[in-house]
Amino acid sequence: MAEGVTLVTGARKGLGRAIAEHYLALGHFVVGCSRDASDLEHPSYRHFLADVADEAAVKPIFTYLRKEHGGLDHLINNAGIASMNHAMLTPLSTVDAIFSTNVKGTFLFCREAARLMQKKGRGRIVNLTTVATPLQLEGEAIYAASKAAVLSLTQVLARELAPLGITVNSVGPTPVPTDLIRSVPKAKMDALLARQAIPRFGEPADVINVIDFFLSPASDFVTAQNIYLGGVV
Amino acid sequence: MDILTEILAPAIEEARRSIPSAAKLEAKADCPLFGDGGVDSMGLVRFIIMVEERIEDRTQVQLTLASDKAMSRKSSPFRTVGALAEYVTECLDAEGYDG
Ligand SMILES: NC(=O)c1ccc[n+]([C@@H]2O[C@H](COP(=O)([O-])OP(=O)(O)OC[C@H]3O[C@@H](n4cnc5c(N)ncnc54)[C@H](OP(=O)(O)O)[C@@H]3O)[C@@H](O)[C@H]2O)c1
């Protein structure tokens, strides 16, 4: 298992699926999770049914990693949900759901992954942020705020985990055509793309390229960094 | 189950091998665990993880030893090895574990 063990949350579809397939192709053993079942079949893939914010469902993933793989090398905290709505019309149940998945889930996986990684004195954690935060997108208040929290977690955890040889970084995609953004109206999307330095949709490969950089053994001096795609700052 | 000999002693052995500040730790009730003569704060964090994992493997119970309750006690359950053994027993009792 020279390439290591990589855990990808939200691996059933979208970016998570592409990330899982990419690391499988590179020879990693990949462990994925999502709330619904995955049809990804590969001898080096294992899928868990778990809501990332459900501690009781998540713990067995880490017990499995500890017992069957002796630890974890990389965590990609990809599971995330969004919701487009005017703040004045946003129900608190949406706030709870978004913060649960995006913030609580990300924290829970960081915590459990770090517990495993610290034993080997090395590890890589990559979280998913979004350009919605720096662009202060109207209609995405809760989503943008939840990812601002992920950014903050990334930076603080990077410091807490640095002495243990674990780096924590994040990548903030521009819109990538997945189910996540399917419901955003075209005019809104065009206006959004126009605010990027490079006004095009992102591809999973754009995101994976940044993750590859963070996971690289040569990136052991790179931590607490967030890279936005498309020239958004 | 005797927590000191069955959980803490093997965890201490592992800690002595892998945690720099744990070199002087011993499986004796009066041995200082954290603070003067014990491990440093990162050492304590790593030691607690080892203990929690051993408890889970032995009992299937997932304890969170560094809870707000534990941290706010006047007399820290992490001051000596014996204090931690007592605290683990108490937590397992609270979880209804009777093995
Ligand atoms: N696409 C974009 O334009 C874009 C832009 C910026 C950032 N991002 C970020 O990129 C990440 C992936 O987004 P995507 O576009 O790939 O979204 P997507 O196509 O909607 O896929 C989301 C994935 O996460 C899983 N998931 C959602 N909630 C979960 C939960 N509570 N527990 C476990 N798994 C959960 C879903 O599977 P189940 O439904 O089976 O649980 C699915 O596999 C997110 O963090 C998102 O915020 C995306």
Side-chain angles (χ1 to χ4, degrees):
Chain A
M1 217 168 293
E3 304 305 334
V5 179
T6 301
L7 173 57
V8 182
T9 66
R12 178 174 68 83
K13 61 171 183 165
L15 287 172
R17 172 70 178 240
I19 294 165
E21 287 175 351
H22 171 74
Y23 289 111
L24 281 170
L26 290 184
H28 295 213
F29 190 94
V30 177
V31 177
C33 80
S34 59
R35 294 161 303 177
D36 286 334
S38 165
D39 60 4
L40 177 50
E41 280 184 27
H42 190 287
S44 300
Y45 184 72
R46 169 80 195 261
H47 197 85
F48 280 81
L49 284 185
D51 182 320
V52 290
D54 178 353
E55 189 167 12
V58 166
K59 281 270 194 176
I61 303 175
F62 289 91
T63 302
Y64 159 82
L65 285 166
R66 178 161 66 86
K67 297 208 166 146
E68 302 300 321
H69 296 280
L72 174 66
D73 300 294
H74 318 116
L75 164 66
I76 318 299
N77 255 319
N78 159 85
I81 54 172
S83 156
M84 178 103 200
N85 203 344
H86 197 283
M88 291 192 286
L89 301 179
T90 301
L92 276 189
S93 56
T94 302
V95 180
D96 280 339
I98 290 181
F99 270 81
S100 247
T101 296
N102 298 3
V103 184
K104 218 164 129 184
T106 296
F107 174 73
L108 178 58
F109 275 77
C110 285
R111 185 189 78 190
E112 293 301 313
R115 288 169 66 109
L116 291 184
M117 290 169 174
Q118 54 93 17
K119 287 192 211 169
K120 290 190 188 167
R122 63 186 151 83
R124 295 276 187 270
I125 296 176
V126 180
N127 295 327
L128 267 287
T129 56
T130 169
V131 298
T133 302
L135 293 179
Q136 299 161 6
L137 284 192
E138 299 99 324
E140 305 258 18
I142 298 308
Y143 177 61
S146 77
K147 293 294 189 172
V150 170
L151 184 60
S152 179
L153 268 180
T154 302
Q155 292 163 342
V156 178
L157 292 183
R159 300 188 78 98
E160 285 194 25
L161 301 179
L164 302 167
I166 303 167
T167 67
V168 191
N169 295 286
S170 54
V171 54
T174 61
V176 179
T178 65
D179 289 348
L180 191 88
I181 61 166
R182 189 170 279 172
S183 62
V184 181
K186 182 167 184 311
K188 183 112 195 154
M189 196 49 83
D190 290 343
L192 203 174
L193 293 180
R195 293 177 66 189
Q196 299 170 192
I198 307 171
R200 67 158 168 87
F201 276 105
E203 294 295 329
D206 298 316
V207 180
I208 288 169
N209 175 46
V210 177
I211 300 176
D212 275 346
F213 166 66
F214 288 140
L215 297 197
S216 158
S219 297
D220 61 351
F221 201 43
V222 178
T223 197
Q225 302 306 306
N226 176 65
I227 293 189
Y228 288 125
L229 290 169
V232 174
V233 285
Chain B
M1 176 179 37
D2 183 53
I3 300 293
L4 184 62
T5 57
E6 294 181 49
I7 301 282
L8 298 189
I12 286 171
E13 216 172 285
E14 185 187 350
R16 288 169 56 115
R17 284 195 306 266
S18 55
I19 301 175
S21 62
K24 285 199 221 126
L25 220 51
E26 283 180 86
K28 291 187 183 143
D30 60 357
C31 175
L33 176 56
F34 178 53
D36 269 358
V39 298
D40 61 15
S41 52
M42 186 60 89
L44 180 66
V45 170
R46 298 183 63 196
F47 182 66
I48 290 173
I49 293 169
M50 286 174 189
V51 172
E52 287 179 351
E53 280 180 0
R54 281 175 190 275
I55 294 168
E56 184 192 335
D57 289 349
R58 245 332 261 279
T59 68
Q60 312 304 317
V61 179
Q62 290 172 345
L63 287 184
T64 301
L65 292 174
S67 62
D68 290 345
K69 194 180 83 188
M71 301 319 237
S72 61
R73 286 193 172 192
K74 233 188 235 146
S75 173
S76 163
F78 306 116
R79 65 191 187 279
T80 62
V81 170
L84 179 58
E86 273 172 39
Y87 182 62
V88 170
T89 306
E90 197 183 303
C91 292
L92 281 174
D93 285 348
E95 292 287 326
Y97 179 78
D98 58 5

